[in-house]
mmCIF file of all heavy atoms in Angstrom:
data_model
loop_
_atom_site.group_PDB
_atom_site.id
_atom_site.type_symbol
_atom_site.label_atom_id
_atom_site.label_comp_id
_atom_site.label_asym_id
_atom_site.label_seq_id
_atom_site.Cartn_x
_atom_site.Cartn_y
_atom_site.Cartn_z
ATOM 1 N N MET Y 47 207.565 236.034 2.274
ATOM 2 C CA MET Y 47 207.829 236.719 1.010
ATOM 3 C C MET Y 47 206.757 236.404 -0.002
ATOM 4 O O MET Y 47 206.349 235.278 -0.161
ATOM 5 C CB MET Y 47 209.184 236.266 0.587
ATOM 6 C CG MET Y 47 209.567 236.879 -0.814
ATOM 7 S SD MET Y 47 211.160 236.339 -1.381
ATOM 8 C CE MET Y 47 212.213 237.603 -0.772
ATOM 9 N N THR Y 48 206.246 237.381 -0.652
ATOM 10 C CA THR Y 48 205.187 237.205 -1.617
ATOM 11 C C THR Y 48 205.769 237.322 -2.997
ATOM 12 O O THR Y 48 206.795 237.948 -3.173
ATOM 13 C CB THR Y 48 204.081 238.218 -1.397
ATOM 14 O OG1 THR Y 48 204.581 239.521 -1.578
ATOM 15 C CG2 THR Y 48 203.488 238.018 -0.043
ATOM 16 N N ILE Y 49 205.000 236.807 -3.983
ATOM 17 C CA ILE Y 49 205.418 236.885 -5.367
ATOM 18 C C ILE Y 49 204.842 238.225 -5.935
ATOM 19 O O ILE Y 49 203.751 238.611 -5.714
ATOM 20 C CB ILE Y 49 204.827 235.716 -6.180
ATOM 21 C CG1 ILE Y 49 205.369 234.468 -5.569
ATOM 22 C CG2 ILE Y 49 205.161 235.864 -7.595
ATOM 23 C CD1 ILE Y 49 204.787 233.158 -6.175
ATOM 24 N N SER Y 50 205.710 238.925 -6.618
ATOM 25 C CA SER Y 50 205.362 240.219 -7.204
ATOM 26 C C SER Y 50 204.336 240.058 -8.300
ATOM 27 O O SER Y 50 204.324 239.029 -9.031
ATOM 28 C CB SER Y 50 206.571 240.988 -7.721
ATOM 29 O OG SER Y 50 207.095 240.381 -8.850
ATOM 30 N N GLN Y 51 203.562 241.122 -8.559
ATOM 31 C CA GLN Y 51 202.566 241.105 -9.613
ATOM 32 C C GLN Y 51 203.233 241.025 -10.981
ATOM 33 O O GLN Y 51 202.811 240.350 -11.936
ATOM 34 C CB GLN Y 51 201.726 242.393 -9.618
ATOM 35 C CG GLN Y 51 200.409 242.309 -8.996
ATOM 36 C CD GLN Y 51 199.558 241.099 -9.235
ATOM 37 O OE1 GLN Y 51 199.355 240.340 -8.262
ATOM 38 N NE2 GLN Y 51 199.066 240.821 -10.418
ATOM 39 N N GLU Y 52 204.443 241.579 -11.082
ATOM 40 C CA GLU Y 52 205.211 241.566 -12.308
ATOM 41 C C GLU Y 52 205.593 240.123 -12.677
ATOM 42 O O GLU Y 52 205.429 239.700 -13.848
ATOM 43 C CB GLU Y 52 206.482 242.442 -12.184
ATOM 44 C CG GLU Y 52 207.266 242.553 -13.464
ATOM 45 C CD GLU Y 52 208.470 243.378 -13.314
ATOM 46 O OE1 GLU Y 52 208.739 243.947 -12.246
ATOM 47 O OE2 GLU Y 52 209.167 243.512 -14.307
ATOM 48 N N LEU Y 53 206.086 239.395 -11.674
ATOM 49 C CA LEU Y 53 206.434 237.970 -11.899
ATOM 50 C C LEU Y 53 205.216 237.133 -12.222
ATOM 51 O O LEU Y 53 205.157 236.314 -13.118
ATOM 52 C CB LEU Y 53 207.169 237.352 -10.728
ATOM 53 C CG LEU Y 53 207.545 235.948 -10.799
ATOM 54 C CD1 LEU Y 53 208.433 235.726 -11.975
ATOM 55 C CD2 LEU Y 53 208.223 235.448 -9.504
ATOM 56 N N LEU Y 54 204.039 237.393 -11.497
ATOM 57 C CA LEU Y 54 202.843 236.637 -11.787
ATOM 58 C C LEU Y 54 202.367 236.890 -13.179
ATOM 59 O O LEU Y 54 201.803 235.953 -13.782
ATOM 60 C CB LEU Y 54 201.721 237.064 -10.742
ATOM 61 C CG LEU Y 54 201.823 236.444 -9.414
ATOM 62 C CD1 LEU Y 54 200.804 237.012 -8.528
ATOM 63 C CD2 LEU Y 54 201.635 234.924 -9.535
ATOM 64 N N SER Y 55 202.572 238.042 -13.708
ATOM 65 C CA SER Y 55 202.030 238.357 -15.036
ATOM 66 C C SER Y 55 202.788 237.662 -16.158
ATOM 67 O O SER Y 55 202.243 237.462 -17.239
ATOM 68 C CB SER Y 55 202.075 239.878 -15.315
ATOM 69 O OG SER Y 55 203.399 240.288 -15.404
ATOM 70 N N ILE Y 56 204.042 237.181 -15.868
ATOM 71 C CA ILE Y 56 204.750 236.480 -16.901
ATOM 72 C C ILE Y 56 204.861 234.958 -16.758
ATOM 73 O O ILE Y 56 205.185 234.224 -17.632
ATOM 74 C CB ILE Y 56 206.216 237.030 -17.042
ATOM 75 C CG1 ILE Y 56 206.997 236.872 -15.763
ATOM 76 C CG2 ILE Y 56 206.209 238.441 -17.484
ATOM 77 C CD1 ILE Y 56 208.477 237.253 -15.866
ATOM 78 N N LEU Y 57 204.484 234.467 -15.536
ATOM 79 C CA LEU Y 57 204.485 233.054 -15.334
ATOM 80 C C LEU Y 57 203.319 232.356 -16.054
ATOM 81 O O LEU Y 57 202.233 232.940 -16.048
ATOM 82 C CB LEU Y 57 204.385 232.758 -13.838
ATOM 83 C CG LEU Y 57 205.607 232.997 -13.014
ATOM 84 C CD1 LEU Y 57 205.313 232.698 -11.549
ATOM 85 C CD2 LEU Y 57 206.761 232.103 -13.491
ATOM 86 N N ALA Y 58 203.547 231.169 -16.514
ATOM 87 C CA ALA Y 58 202.511 230.358 -17.141
ATOM 88 C C ALA Y 58 202.716 228.900 -16.780
ATOM 89 O O ALA Y 58 203.836 228.501 -16.368
ATOM 90 C CB ALA Y 58 202.601 230.541 -18.689
ATOM 91 N N CYS Y 59 201.663 228.154 -16.846
ATOM 92 C CA CYS Y 59 201.727 226.778 -16.473
ATOM 93 C C CYS Y 59 202.715 226.100 -17.476
ATOM 94 O O CYS Y 59 202.550 226.159 -18.719
ATOM 95 C CB CYS Y 59 200.342 226.122 -16.648
ATOM 96 S SG CYS Y 59 200.343 224.367 -16.388
ATOM 97 N N PRO Y 60 203.747 225.344 -16.950
ATOM 98 C CA PRO Y 60 204.623 224.718 -17.885
ATOM 99 C C PRO Y 60 204.024 223.574 -18.603
ATOM 100 O O PRO Y 60 204.544 223.086 -19.665
ATOM 101 C CB PRO Y 60 205.748 224.242 -16.957
ATOM 102 C CG PRO Y 60 205.199 224.244 -15.613
ATOM 103 C CD PRO Y 60 204.154 225.208 -15.556
ATOM 104 N N ASN Y 61 202.849 223.046 -18.168
ATOM 105 C CA ASN Y 61 202.186 221.931 -18.836
ATOM 106 C C ASN Y 61 201.407 222.374 -20.043
ATOM 107 O O ASN Y 61 201.493 221.823 -21.068
ATOM 108 C CB ASN Y 61 201.374 221.180 -17.777
ATOM 109 C CG ASN Y 61 200.839 219.879 -18.298
ATOM 110 O OD1 ASN Y 61 201.618 219.123 -18.816
ATOM 111 N ND2 ASN Y 61 199.590 219.627 -18.143
ATOM 112 N N CYS Y 62 200.557 223.367 -19.830
ATOM 113 C CA CYS Y 62 199.589 223.760 -20.845
ATOM 114 C C CYS Y 62 199.803 225.226 -21.319
ATOM 115 O O CYS Y 62 199.108 225.651 -22.188
ATOM 116 C CB CYS Y 62 198.177 223.614 -20.457
ATOM 117 S SG CYS Y 62 197.610 224.817 -19.165
ATOM 118 N N LYS Y 63 200.696 225.994 -20.696
ATOM 119 C CA LYS Y 63 200.957 227.395 -20.960
ATOM 120 C C LYS Y 63 199.772 228.252 -20.507
ATOM 121 O O LYS Y 63 199.670 229.397 -21.022
ATOM 122 C CB LYS Y 63 201.296 227.674 -22.452
ATOM 123 C CG LYS Y 63 202.392 226.738 -22.977
ATOM 124 C CD LYS Y 63 203.686 226.825 -22.168
ATOM 125 C CE LYS Y 63 204.743 225.932 -22.837
ATOM 126 N NZ LYS Y 63 205.240 224.885 -22.054
ATOM 127 N N GLY Y 64 198.865 227.712 -19.645
ATOM 128 C CA GLY Y 64 197.745 228.481 -19.180
ATOM 129 C C GLY Y 64 198.032 229.457 -18.091
ATOM 130 O O GLY Y 64 199.185 229.507 -17.562
ATOM 131 N N GLU Y 65 197.068 230.220 -17.670
ATOM 132 C CA GLU Y 65 197.186 231.239 -16.620
ATOM 133 C C GLU Y 65 197.305 230.523 -15.254
ATOM 134 O O GLU Y 65 196.577 229.515 -14.993
ATOM 135 C CB GLU Y 65 195.910 232.133 -16.674
ATOM 136 C CG GLU Y 65 196.037 233.299 -15.635
ATOM 137 C CD GLU Y 65 194.825 234.147 -15.743
ATOM 138 O OE1 GLU Y 65 194.147 234.186 -16.809
ATOM 139 O OE2 GLU Y 65 194.552 234.866 -14.752
ATOM 140 N N LEU Y 66 198.047 231.119 -14.358
ATOM 141 C CA LEU Y 66 198.240 230.665 -13.035
ATOM 142 C C LEU Y 66 197.601 231.664 -12.039
ATOM 143 O O LEU Y 66 197.659 232.866 -12.272
ATOM 144 C CB LEU Y 66 199.747 230.467 -12.662
ATOM 145 C CG LEU Y 66 200.446 229.402 -13.488
ATOM 146 C CD1 LEU Y 66 201.929 229.483 -13.290
ATOM 147 C CD2 LEU Y 66 199.961 228.005 -13.113
ATOM 148 N N VAL Y 67 197.012 231.123 -11.001
ATOM 149 C CA VAL Y 67 196.407 231.957 -9.963
ATOM 150 C C VAL Y 67 197.150 231.680 -8.631
ATOM 151 O O VAL Y 67 197.223 230.496 -8.246
ATOM 152 C CB VAL Y 67 194.913 231.634 -9.813
ATOM 153 C CG1 VAL Y 67 194.345 232.446 -8.725
ATOM 154 C CG2 VAL Y 67 194.159 231.910 -11.138
ATOM 155 N N LEU Y 68 197.561 232.718 -7.953
ATOM 156 C CA LEU Y 68 198.232 232.613 -6.678
ATOM 157 C C LEU Y 68 197.225 232.296 -5.609
ATOM 158 O O LEU Y 68 196.141 232.976 -5.503
ATOM 159 C CB LEU Y 68 198.995 233.851 -6.328
ATOM 160 C CG LEU Y 68 199.752 233.878 -5.009
ATOM 161 C CD1 LEU Y 68 200.872 232.893 -5.106
ATOM 162 C CD2 LEU Y 68 200.410 235.327 -4.805
ATOM 163 N N LEU Y 69 197.440 231.281 -4.777
ATOM 164 C CA LEU Y 69 196.591 230.963 -3.650
ATOM 165 C C LEU Y 69 196.564 232.127 -2.674
ATOM 166 O O LEU Y 69 197.601 232.770 -2.513
ATOM 167 C CB LEU Y 69 196.998 229.667 -3.030
ATOM 168 C CG LEU Y 69 196.802 228.417 -3.805
ATOM 169 C CD1 LEU Y 69 197.359 227.217 -3.136
ATOM 170 C CD2 LEU Y 69 195.333 228.162 -4.107
ATOM 171 N N PRO Y 70 195.498 232.350 -1.936
ATOM 172 C CA PRO Y 70 195.420 233.517 -1.024
ATOM 173 C C PRO Y 70 196.538 233.461 0.071
ATOM 174 O O PRO Y 70 196.975 234.517 0.488
ATOM 175 C CB PRO Y 70 194.057 233.386 -0.392
ATOM 176 C CG PRO Y 70 193.264 232.632 -1.360
ATOM 177 C CD PRO Y 70 194.225 231.691 -2.068
ATOM 178 N N ASP Y 71 196.958 232.302 0.428
ATOM 179 C CA ASP Y 71 197.920 232.194 1.463
ATOM 180 C C ASP Y 71 199.366 232.245 0.892
ATOM 181 O O ASP Y 71 200.330 232.165 1.650
ATOM 182 C CB ASP Y 71 197.815 230.977 2.365
ATOM 183 C CG ASP Y 71 197.967 229.635 1.576
ATOM 184 O OD1 ASP Y 71 198.188 229.704 0.384
ATOM 185 O OD2 ASP Y 71 197.803 228.572 2.209
ATOM 186 N N GLY Y 72 199.480 232.259 -0.450
ATOM 187 C CA GLY Y 72 200.786 232.400 -1.075
ATOM 188 C C GLY Y 72 201.597 231.112 -1.143
ATOM 189 O O GLY Y 72 202.725 231.144 -1.510
ATOM 190 N N SER Y 73 200.937 229.993 -0.811
ATOM 191 C CA SER Y 73 201.642 228.716 -0.735
ATOM 192 C C SER Y 73 201.781 227.989 -2.086
ATOM 193 O O SER Y 73 202.492 227.001 -2.186
ATOM 194 C CB SER Y 73 200.967 227.790 0.198
ATOM 195 O OG SER Y 73 199.737 227.393 -0.279
ATOM 196 N N GLY Y 74 201.103 228.440 -3.095
ATOM 197 C CA GLY Y 74 201.185 227.822 -4.384
ATOM 198 C C GLY Y 74 200.469 228.584 -5.498
ATOM 199 O O GLY Y 74 199.779 229.545 -5.278
ATOM 200 N N LEU Y 75 200.682 228.111 -6.685
ATOM 201 C CA LEU Y 75 200.085 228.659 -7.912
ATOM 202 C C LEU Y 75 199.266 227.572 -8.537
ATOM 203 O O LEU Y 75 199.742 226.420 -8.638
ATOM 204 C CB LEU Y 75 201.202 229.085 -8.906
ATOM 205 C CG LEU Y 75 202.066 230.284 -8.469
ATOM 206 C CD1 LEU Y 75 203.355 230.386 -9.259
ATOM 207 C CD2 LEU Y 75 201.242 231.602 -8.517
ATOM 208 N N VAL Y 76 198.046 227.924 -8.878
ATOM 209 C CA VAL Y 76 197.110 226.905 -9.485
ATOM 210 C C VAL Y 76 196.815 227.192 -10.866
ATOM 211 O O VAL Y 76 196.513 228.320 -11.287
ATOM 212 C CB VAL Y 76 195.798 226.934 -8.611
ATOM 213 C CG1 VAL Y 76 194.738 226.003 -9.274
ATOM 214 C CG2 VAL Y 76 196.057 226.527 -7.191
ATOM 215 N N CYS Y 77 196.941 226.105 -11.734
ATOM 216 C CA CYS Y 77 196.432 226.148 -13.076
ATOM 217 C C CYS Y 77 195.068 225.489 -13.126
ATOM 218 O O CYS Y 77 194.930 224.284 -12.846
ATOM 219 C CB CYS Y 77 197.394 225.435 -13.995
ATOM 220 S SG CYS Y 77 196.777 225.328 -15.693
ATOM 221 N N GLU Y 78 194.007 226.244 -13.365
ATOM 222 C CA GLU Y 78 192.634 225.699 -13.388
ATOM 223 C C GLU Y 78 192.426 224.775 -14.570
ATOM 224 O O GLU Y 78 191.725 223.819 -14.441
ATOM 225 C CB GLU Y 78 191.630 226.830 -13.436
ATOM 226 C CG GLU Y 78 191.582 227.749 -12.173
ATOM 227 C CD GLU Y 78 191.106 226.960 -10.992
ATOM 228 O OE1 GLU Y 78 190.319 225.976 -11.154
ATOM 229 O OE2 GLU Y 78 191.433 227.390 -9.881
ATOM 230 N N ALA Y 79 193.079 225.042 -15.709
ATOM 231 C CA ALA Y 79 192.994 224.159 -16.892
ATOM 232 C C ALA Y 79 193.479 222.758 -16.657
ATOM 233 O O ALA Y 79 192.845 221.771 -17.015
ATOM 234 C CB ALA Y 79 193.642 224.825 -18.090
ATOM 235 N N CYS Y 80 194.669 222.665 -16.060
ATOM 236 C CA CYS Y 80 195.292 221.350 -15.815
ATOM 237 C C CYS Y 80 194.884 220.749 -14.400
ATOM 238 O O CYS Y 80 195.111 219.605 -14.178
ATOM 239 C CB CYS Y 80 196.795 221.537 -15.857
ATOM 240 S SG CYS Y 80 197.480 221.915 -17.380
ATOM 241 N N ARG Y 81 194.330 221.664 -13.544
ATOM 242 C CA ARG Y 81 194.059 221.271 -12.167
ATOM 243 C C ARG Y 81 195.334 220.860 -11.481
ATOM 244 O O ARG Y 81 195.368 219.792 -10.796
ATOM 245 C CB ARG Y 81 192.996 220.204 -12.100
ATOM 246 C CG ARG Y 81 191.699 220.498 -12.767
ATOM 247 C CD ARG Y 81 190.935 221.594 -12.116
ATOM 248 N NE ARG Y 81 190.552 221.156 -10.722
ATOM 249 C CZ ARG Y 81 190.401 222.052 -9.711
ATOM 250 N NH1 ARG Y 81 190.508 223.357 -9.949
ATOM 251 N NH2 ARG Y 81 190.074 221.608 -8.528
ATOM 252 N N LEU Y 82 196.374 221.684 -11.641
ATOM 253 C CA LEU Y 82 197.662 221.372 -10.973
ATOM 254 C C LEU Y 82 197.990 222.554 -10.046
ATOM 255 O O LEU Y 82 197.650 223.748 -10.356
ATOM 256 C CB LEU Y 82 198.801 221.230 -12.007
ATOM 257 C CG LEU Y 82 198.769 219.988 -12.881
ATOM 258 C CD1 LEU Y 82 199.834 220.093 -13.876
ATOM 259 C CD2 LEU Y 82 198.869 218.689 -12.081
ATOM 260 N N ARG Y 83 198.597 222.276 -8.910
ATOM 261 C CA ARG Y 83 199.085 223.282 -7.999
ATOM 262 C C ARG Y 83 200.641 223.132 -7.867
ATOM 263 O O ARG Y 83 201.105 222.109 -7.562
ATOM 264 C CB ARG Y 83 198.532 222.986 -6.562
ATOM 265 C CG ARG Y 83 198.949 223.960 -5.517
ATOM 266 C CD ARG Y 83 198.586 223.501 -4.092
ATOM 267 N NE ARG Y 83 199.242 224.182 -3.105
ATOM 268 C CZ ARG Y 83 200.462 223.963 -2.614
ATOM 269 N NH1 ARG Y 83 201.114 222.910 -3.109
ATOM 270 N NH2 ARG Y 83 200.959 224.661 -1.635
ATOM 271 N N TYR Y 84 201.280 224.300 -8.239
ATOM 272 C CA TYR Y 84 202.703 224.317 -8.276
ATOM 273 C C TYR Y 84 203.106 224.975 -6.856
ATOM 274 O O TYR Y 84 202.543 226.097 -6.543
ATOM 275 C CB TYR Y 84 203.266 225.208 -9.361
ATOM 276 C CG TYR Y 84 202.959 224.510 -10.648
ATOM 277 C CD1 TYR Y 84 201.835 224.820 -11.373
ATOM 278 C CD2 TYR Y 84 203.844 223.579 -11.205
ATOM 279 C CE1 TYR Y 84 201.526 224.233 -12.627
ATOM 280 C CE2 TYR Y 84 203.532 222.955 -12.392
ATOM 281 C CZ TYR Y 84 202.367 223.266 -13.074
ATOM 282 O OH TYR Y 84 202.181 222.694 -14.249
ATOM 283 N N PRO Y 85 204.003 224.466 -6.105
ATOM 284 C CA PRO Y 85 204.340 224.991 -4.783
ATOM 285 C C PRO Y 85 205.163 226.262 -4.877
ATOM 286 O O PRO Y 85 205.885 226.462 -5.886
ATOM 287 C CB PRO Y 85 205.099 223.861 -4.113
ATOM 288 C CG PRO Y 85 205.696 223.050 -5.261
ATOM 289 C CD PRO Y 85 204.681 223.126 -6.390
ATOM 290 N N VAL Y 86 205.078 227.030 -3.833
ATOM 291 C CA VAL Y 86 205.971 228.211 -3.677
ATOM 292 C C VAL Y 86 206.764 227.992 -2.478
ATOM 293 O O VAL Y 86 206.206 227.819 -1.344
ATOM 294 C CB VAL Y 86 205.157 229.520 -3.594
ATOM 295 C CG1 VAL Y 86 206.060 230.699 -3.310
ATOM 296 C CG2 VAL Y 86 204.321 229.748 -4.829
ATOM 297 N N ARG Y 87 208.117 227.868 -2.625
ATOM 298 C CA ARG Y 87 208.928 227.600 -1.484
ATOM 299 C C ARG Y 87 209.939 228.764 -1.269
ATOM 300 O O ARG Y 87 210.617 229.202 -2.187
ATOM 301 C CB ARG Y 87 209.752 226.340 -1.757
ATOM 302 C CG ARG Y 87 208.892 225.102 -1.871
ATOM 303 C CD ARG Y 87 209.712 223.788 -1.990
ATOM 304 N NE ARG Y 87 208.840 222.685 -2.221
ATOM 305 C CZ ARG Y 87 208.950 221.819 -3.178
ATOM 306 N NH1 ARG Y 87 209.997 221.885 -3.979
ATOM 307 N NH2 ARG Y 87 208.134 220.852 -3.332
ATOM 308 N N ASP Y 88 209.895 229.294 -0.092
ATOM 309 C CA ASP Y 88 210.768 230.524 0.259
ATOM 310 C C ASP Y 88 210.548 231.631 -0.709
ATOM 311 O O ASP Y 88 211.404 232.321 -1.069
ATOM 312 C CB ASP Y 88 212.193 230.087 0.355
ATOM 313 C CG ASP Y 88 212.429 229.063 1.386
ATOM 314 O OD1 ASP Y 88 211.842 229.129 2.516
ATOM 315 O OD2 ASP Y 88 213.355 228.197 1.228
ATOM 316 N N GLY Y 89 209.289 231.868 -1.158
ATOM 317 C CA GLY Y 89 208.880 232.897 -2.123
ATOM 318 C C GLY Y 89 209.292 232.593 -3.579
ATOM 319 O O GLY Y 89 209.195 233.471 -4.372
ATOM 320 N N ILE Y 90 209.784 231.359 -3.840
ATOM 321 C CA ILE Y 90 210.135 231.059 -5.193
ATOM 322 C C ILE Y 90 209.210 229.990 -5.743
ATOM 323 O O ILE Y 90 209.070 228.901 -5.169
ATOM 324 C CB ILE Y 90 211.652 230.487 -5.195
ATOM 325 C CG1 ILE Y 90 212.523 231.578 -4.670
ATOM 326 C CG2 ILE Y 90 211.996 230.150 -6.599
ATOM 327 C CD1 ILE Y 90 213.925 231.104 -4.403
ATOM 328 N N PRO Y 91 208.499 230.289 -6.880
ATOM 329 C CA PRO Y 91 207.653 229.286 -7.395
ATOM 330 C C PRO Y 91 208.463 228.105 -8.040
ATOM 331 O O PRO Y 91 209.398 228.357 -8.766
ATOM 332 C CB PRO Y 91 206.809 229.993 -8.505
ATOM 333 C CG PRO Y 91 207.448 231.351 -8.657
ATOM 334 C CD PRO Y 91 208.485 231.534 -7.534
ATOM 335 N N VAL Y 92 208.022 226.885 -7.747
ATOM 336 C CA VAL Y 92 208.652 225.744 -8.253
ATOM 337 C C VAL Y 92 207.815 225.325 -9.507
ATOM 338 O O VAL Y 92 206.817 224.658 -9.405
ATOM 339 C CB VAL Y 92 208.734 224.612 -7.267
ATOM 340 C CG1 VAL Y 92 209.460 223.316 -7.810
ATOM 341 C CG2 VAL Y 92 209.468 225.087 -5.958
ATOM 342 N N MET Y 93 208.304 225.661 -10.688
ATOM 343 C CA MET Y 93 207.543 225.450 -11.906
ATOM 344 C C MET Y 93 207.927 224.243 -12.629
ATOM 345 O O MET Y 93 208.213 224.229 -13.821
ATOM 346 C CB MET Y 93 207.733 226.682 -12.801
ATOM 347 C CG MET Y 93 207.304 228.013 -12.141
ATOM 348 S SD MET Y 93 205.595 228.009 -11.522
ATOM 349 C CE MET Y 93 204.701 227.820 -13.010
ATOM 350 N N LEU Y 94 207.926 223.091 -11.922
ATOM 351 C CA LEU Y 94 208.223 221.757 -12.483
ATOM 352 C C LEU Y 94 207.024 220.891 -12.452
ATOM 353 O O LEU Y 94 206.355 220.719 -11.364
ATOM 354 C CB LEU Y 94 209.353 221.120 -11.739
ATOM 355 C CG LEU Y 94 210.653 221.836 -11.677
ATOM 356 C CD1 LEU Y 94 211.650 221.191 -10.658
ATOM 357 C CD2 LEU Y 94 211.354 221.919 -13.063
ATOM 358 N N VAL Y 95 206.584 220.348 -13.644
ATOM 359 C CA VAL Y 95 205.381 219.504 -13.587
ATOM 360 C C VAL Y 95 205.513 218.341 -12.619
ATOM 361 O O VAL Y 95 204.551 217.937 -11.941
ATOM 362 C CB VAL Y 95 205.159 219.013 -15.034
ATOM 363 C CG1 VAL Y 95 204.014 218.088 -15.084
ATOM 364 C CG2 VAL Y 95 204.913 220.204 -15.975
ATOM 365 N N ASP Y 96 206.724 217.767 -12.463
ATOM 366 C CA ASP Y 96 206.970 216.711 -11.524
ATOM 367 C C ASP Y 96 206.684 217.045 -10.108
ATOM 368 O O ASP Y 96 206.448 216.213 -9.280
ATOM 369 C CB ASP Y 96 208.358 216.094 -11.745
ATOM 370 C CG ASP Y 96 208.591 215.392 -13.050
ATOM 371 O OD1 ASP Y 96 207.581 215.100 -13.712
ATOM 372 O OD2 ASP Y 96 209.714 215.246 -13.355
ATOM 373 N N GLU Y 97 206.862 218.330 -9.740
ATOM 374 C CA GLU Y 97 206.689 218.797 -8.464
ATOM 375 C C GLU Y 97 205.223 219.280 -8.130
ATOM 376 O O GLU Y 97 204.828 219.526 -6.984
ATOM 377 C CB GLU Y 97 207.634 219.967 -8.157
ATOM 378 C CG GLU Y 97 209.095 219.667 -8.097
ATOM 379 C CD GLU Y 97 209.477 218.914 -6.857
ATOM 380 O OE1 GLU Y 97 208.942 219.232 -5.787
ATOM 381 O OE2 GLU Y 97 210.346 218.050 -6.848
ATOM 382 N N ALA Y 98 204.466 219.390 -9.252
ATOM 383 C CA ALA Y 98 203.036 219.829 -9.062
ATOM 384 C C ALA Y 98 202.204 218.823 -8.435
ATOM 385 O O ALA Y 98 202.367 217.601 -8.526
ATOM 386 C CB ALA Y 98 202.476 220.238 -10.426
ATOM 387 N N GLU Y 99 201.151 219.349 -7.678
ATOM 388 C CA GLU Y 99 200.207 218.454 -7.007
ATOM 389 C C GLU Y 99 198.937 218.437 -7.773
ATOM 390 O O GLU Y 99 198.404 219.496 -8.166
ATOM 391 C CB GLU Y 99 199.971 218.955 -5.570
ATOM 392 C CG GLU Y 99 198.915 218.344 -4.887
ATOM 393 C CD GLU Y 99 198.660 218.954 -3.515
ATOM 394 O OE1 GLU Y 99 199.642 219.553 -2.993
ATOM 395 O OE2 GLU Y 99 197.500 218.966 -3.038
ATOM 396 N N LYS Y 100 198.333 217.284 -8.079
ATOM 397 C CA LYS Y 100 197.062 217.222 -8.858
ATOM 398 C C LYS Y 100 195.951 217.523 -7.914
ATOM 399 O O LYS Y 100 195.894 217.071 -6.777
ATOM 400 C CB LYS Y 100 196.921 215.810 -9.370
ATOM 401 C CG LYS Y 100 195.733 215.567 -10.295
ATOM 402 C CD LYS Y 100 196.030 216.183 -11.699
ATOM 403 C CE LYS Y 100 194.903 215.863 -12.557
ATOM 404 N NZ LYS Y 100 194.883 216.719 -13.712
ATOM 405 N N LEU Y 101 195.038 218.416 -8.341
ATOM 406 C CA LEU Y 101 193.922 218.782 -7.571
ATOM 407 C C LEU Y 101 192.718 217.914 -7.942
ATOM 408 O O LEU Y 101 192.608 217.478 -9.044
ATOM 409 C CB LEU Y 101 193.512 220.324 -7.801
ATOM 410 C CG LEU Y 101 194.686 221.325 -7.444
ATOM 411 C CD1 LEU Y 101 194.276 222.646 -7.857
ATOM 412 C CD2 LEU Y 101 195.016 221.210 -5.984
ATOM 413 N N ASP Y 102 191.843 217.702 -7.039
ATOM 414 C CA ASP Y 102 190.632 216.896 -7.294
ATOM 415 C C ASP Y 102 189.562 217.659 -8.038
ATOM 416 O O ASP Y 102 189.418 218.775 -7.975
ATOM 417 C CB ASP Y 102 189.984 216.455 -5.973
ATOM 418 C CG ASP Y 102 190.931 215.468 -5.228
ATOM 419 O OD1 ASP Y 102 191.695 214.787 -5.856
ATOM 420 O OD2 ASP Y 102 190.870 215.430 -3.992
#
């Protein structure tokens, strides 16, 4: 299941309110400003800072 463009257009990083980019494989949403990756589980984005993975 993929995330719709409509949903992507309204989602923002809960940490900085910045833009999110969907990974090509659909496994997560990345905030370039915070360098955080939010997971997508069963087609549902998990928008919790505590669940985010810090990118190098």
